[in-house]
Amino acid sequence: MKVPIYTLCMLLFIILQKTSSKTMIRSHLHLVIFIGLLVVNLLQVSTASIVSTGGFNKDFFVTWSPSHVNTSADGTTRSLTLDKDSGSGFASNDMFLFGQIDMQIKLIPGDSAGTVVAFYMTSDQPNRDELDFEFLGNVDGQPYMLQTNVFADGYGDREERISLWFDPTTEFHTYSILWNLNQIVFMVDWVPIRTYRNHADKGVAYPRRQPMSVTTSLWNGESWATRGGKDKVNWSKAPFTASFRNYKIDACVWKGNPRFCREASPANWWNQDASSSLTWAQRRLFRWVRKNHLIYDYCQDSKRFQNNLPKECSLPKY
């Protein structure tokens, strides 16, 4: 598995918090991070296998309301707009079966209650598979919530929500989906916030057969998105705009034969053993997110499932 820069830095920070005084953190953190960045950069140069980081005009098409989609002259940045007339969206030209997708996103500033910015993968079939990032806007001064969901064989209801540990409206942050035969990992700046393992052998549905496209959208979700629909869109603040840039598609392009996408070849690095589970460093960061930022987990909602939680809730997460 590729060693992520941000993961290493976050891990070093957590370790120093637990093992050093505040004085030592201040004096040594920058040096440790600098050394870590040098090591990680060298590793990434030798292991990267980028499929596409081309322009949005090359790899994506507009799915919804072209007048509300704006792309920079060089094609490297794209924005979506929501107003009273329409939302907007775009999707990848190709479909993929396994890999990793990274997208840098800057969310709607100010009063964004009722708006939903979505970045997801979907097979767009009646029994669809889908992997969702949904950013739920909030009233001015309140934090965004990030909701993730997994659909497998047409069934979802697997929502989790976290609070972000930064303001996602002031600058771009990277949101990633790693998907292979063993696990799905949702990451924020390469910090794993959620996993969904392949427990198909135990009767748990897992996305493994249907190719998926990469899709984004900005839409009005005021009926449910903010405090269960209590806070509506403040249209006096429209238009609402979210921006996207620096995507990386490192995935198996669907050509009609799943065998090529399931092979653990050097090109399909995501199918190799190193990516079959979270690394030690990732596990530590994962537990940190769950302890400090988890707001809702369907696996903890016995009332919703009438004390009959989905089977995967009792199975290992990594």
Side-chain angles (χ1 to χ4, degrees):
M1 179 179 289
K2 298 175 186 178
V3 183
I5 296 174
Y6 194 86
T7 298
L8 178 61
C9 295
M10 286 285 291
L11 180 64
L12 290 170
F13 178 72
I14 292 171
I15 292 172
L16 285 172
Q17 276 187 315
K18 292 183 178 297
T19 60
S20 304
S21 67
K22 291 182 179 180
T23 301
M24 288 186 68
I25 290 175
R26 293 192 187 99
S27 60
H28 297 300
L29 181 59
H30 292 296
L31 176 61
V32 174
I33 289 178
F34 176 73
I35 295 171
L37 292 176
L38 287 178
V39 173
V40 173
N41 279 329
L42 288 173
L43 288 171
Q44 286 188 323
V45 166
S46 63
T47 61
S49 57
I50 299 169
V51 171
S52 182
T53 55
F56 283 97
N57 292 326
K58 179 173 83 72
D59 293 323
F60 294 87
F61 67 97
V62 176
T63 57
W64 183 18
S65 190
S67 63
H68 289 59
V69 180
N70 294 290
T71 308
S72 62
D74 61 3
T76 60
T77 301
R78 175 167 284 181
S79 65
L80 297 180
T81 297
L82 167 69
D83 57 25
K84 278 189 173 182
D85 294 326
S86 180
S88 50
F90 60 89
S92 60
N93 293 322
D94 289 316
M95 302 191 79
F96 309 93
L97 186 65
F98 308 128
Q100 182 167 315
I101 311 297
D102 306 324
M103 181 74 74
Q104 288 191 351
I105 306 173
K106 184 163 67 173
L107 297 175
I108 302 163
D111 191 342
S112 57
T115 67
V116 178
V117 177
F119 164 53
Y120 58 105
M121 299 186 72
T122 180
S123 64
D124 199 24
Q125 299 293 324
N127 61 331
R128 77 184 187 280
D129 293 337
E130 189 168 296
L131 312 174
D132 295 337
F133 277 109
E134 292 178 310
F135 303 91
L136 311 182
N138 215 331
V139 295
D140 199 3
Q142 296 298 312
Y144 261 84
M145 283 189 292
L146 170 54
Q147 175 169 288
T148 57
N149 200 359
V150 174
F151 284 77
D153 294 335
Y155 177 75
D157 289 342
R158 298 183 176 94
E159 298 91 347
E160 292 186 7
R161 291 185 181 183
I162 67 164
S163 62
L164 295 169
W165 50 93
F166 52 83
D167 183 349
T169 71
T170 58
E171 58 187 25
F172 286 88
H173 291 268
T174 303
Y175 304 91
S176 307
I177 299 170
L178 170 66
W179 171 37
N180 59 39
L181 280 168
N182 299 290
Q183 65 173 351
I184 296 160
V185 184
F186 294 84
M187 293 174 280
V188 176
D189 288 334
W190 297 283
V191 174
I193 64 165
R194 178 178 184 173
T195 63
Y196 185 82
R197 288 202 63 77
N198 185 350
H199 292 299
D201 61 335
K202 298 176 178 65
V204 178
Y206 185 83
R208 53 183 171 156
R209 296 186 179 91
Q210 300 184 70
M212 293 192 267
S213 63
V214 181
T215 306
T216 70
S217 60
L218 170 55
W219 49 285
N220 177 1
E222 67 178 6
S223 64
W224 64 275
T226 308
R227 293 203 306 147
K230 293 180 181 179
D231 295 318
K232 305 301 183 181
V233 175
N234 182 356
W235 292 111
S236 70
K237 303 294 184 180
F240 303 99
T241 300
S243 300
F244 304 78
R245 74 176 189 188
N246 290 352
Y247 66 88
K248 181 168 75 172
I249 300 173
D250 195 351
C252 184
V253 179
W254 177 250
K255 299 294 185 183
N257 188 339
R259 178 173 64 86
F260 297 108
C261 295
R262 292 173 178 164
E263 290 177 348
S265 63
N268 294 357
W269 60 264
W270 50 84
N271 285 334
Q272 297 183 0
D273 289 343
S275 298
S276 63
S277 184
L278 297 185
T279 65
W280 173 85
Q282 289 177 317
R283 293 179 188 189
R284 188 154 187 167
L285 288 168
F286 177 76
R287 291 193 293 267
W288 174 79
V289 171
R290 310 290 286 186
K291 179 181 178 180
N292 296 285
H293 296 279
L294 183 66
I295 296 172
Y296 174 82
D297 180 355
Y298 75 106
C299 282
Q300 298 175 5
D301 196 344
S302 296
K303 182 178 179 180
R304 175 183 178 184
F305 294 98
Q306 286 138 13
N307 294 318
N308 186 24
L309 291 172
K311 188 178 294 186
E312 67 267 18
C313 293
S314 61
L315 298 171
K317 293 185 178 295
Y318 48 76

